[in-house]
Amino acid sequence: MYNIKKAIIPAAGLGTRFLPITKAIPKPMLSVLDKPTIQYITEELTGVGIEEIIIVVSPGSDVIRNHFGKADDLERRLLADGKKELYDIEKETQKFNVKFVVQETANGLAGAILCAEQYVGNEPFALLLGDELLFAEGNEKPCIKRLIEIYQQTGKSVIATMEVFGDDVSKYGNIGIRDEKDGVMTVDRILEKPSINEALSNNAIIGRYVIQSGVMDKLKKLTPRKNELYFTDVLDELAEKGDLLASGFEGKRYDVGDKFGYIKANVEFALRSKEIGEDTKNYIKELSKKL
Ligand code: G1P
């Protein structure tokens, strides 16, 4: 069986769309309800066999390291005050085996992945883009779990996709499909953000991938385009050999790199909250009468 033990989370975007908050706060620390988005993503990796998570950050992102590190004074204080529940919440942030690497220059997704090479080598890895939250509940299978299972059965790289229409087609990587069996598609081509006319299908690549071994070497050989290394170029190479699979996913995806997506995530997580869910629902009902 193919095994996967490492995960890379590229989270080095400067978040200029969110200025001024991102002037001093790194974008991955923006909170949905009471938790930074980067913690939700590490939590997606619970229970899927990942032993080490490599987060790729921009220079000056010490608060992200601090978030996953020890906080002795705070812990002592919470225990002394009898706030065991809050102590447990704080401790949760330390349960991940996280390593950090800094992406000094913004040179594309492939450039970010290459930064993690010292920890990943040529091993297979899961890849979770820091701007997206994937949420599964009840009987839904978490997206990354599904991708890992497909990889374990086939040894091939797998990407998660969703259907998009109209102008949205040009916002994502786009795939052409060779065939499909039991919800698993074999990809034959990839285009990065094509125009509607060029698009190969309505299947857009979202930010969850499982990548087979040997890909770091391929990344090193990439030629930059517009000063960026395009991960899509390597995916296209895999697709040509029939080594790239794709699958839809269960649950919901939130684009927290976008202001409206970020607000939607906050509203929906608030509605699910035990603490403020009921109040939020009543508030929205009242508010909607005035809209
Ligand atoms: C990246 C990928 C793109 C993918 C998208 C998913 O683009 O290059 O193929 O569809 O993530 O969010 P970005 O959003 O970083 O421009």
Side-chain angles (χ1 to χ4, degrees), residues 81-104:
D81 293 350
K83 294 180 174 159
K84 178 74 169 65
E85 253 178 57
L86 295 179
Y87 172 85
D88 289 343
I89 289 173
E90 190 280 319
K91 273 288 188 191
E92 282 281 296
T93 61
Q94 293 176 41
K95 71 178 186 193
F96 309 99
N97 178 17
V98 189
K99 301 283 191 300
F100 293 91
V101 288
V102 177
Q103 186 178 17
E104 297 288 347

Side-chain angles (χ1 to χ4, degrees), residues 109 129 132 171-173 192-193 204-207 209 232 253:
L109 179 54
L129 303 194
E132 292 169 54
K171 294 184 187 158
Y172 300 94
E192 182 66 12
K193 306 192 178 93
I205 305 172
I206 65 152
Y209 313 68
T232 315
R253 166 185 178 271

Side-chain angles (χ1 to χ4, degrees), residues 6-10 52-56 99-103 110-122 125 127 216 219:
K6 310 258 167 101
I8 304 176
I9 307 179
E52 190 172 64
I53 301 172
I54 299 101
I55 303 184
V56 185
K99 301 283 191 300
F100 293 91
V101 288
V102 177
Q103 186 178 17
I113 299 167
L114 267 175
C115 291
E117 195 203 358
Q118 55 178 300
Y119 293 112
V120 177
N122 251 328
F125 57 89
L127 176 68
M216 283 291 179
L219 290 174

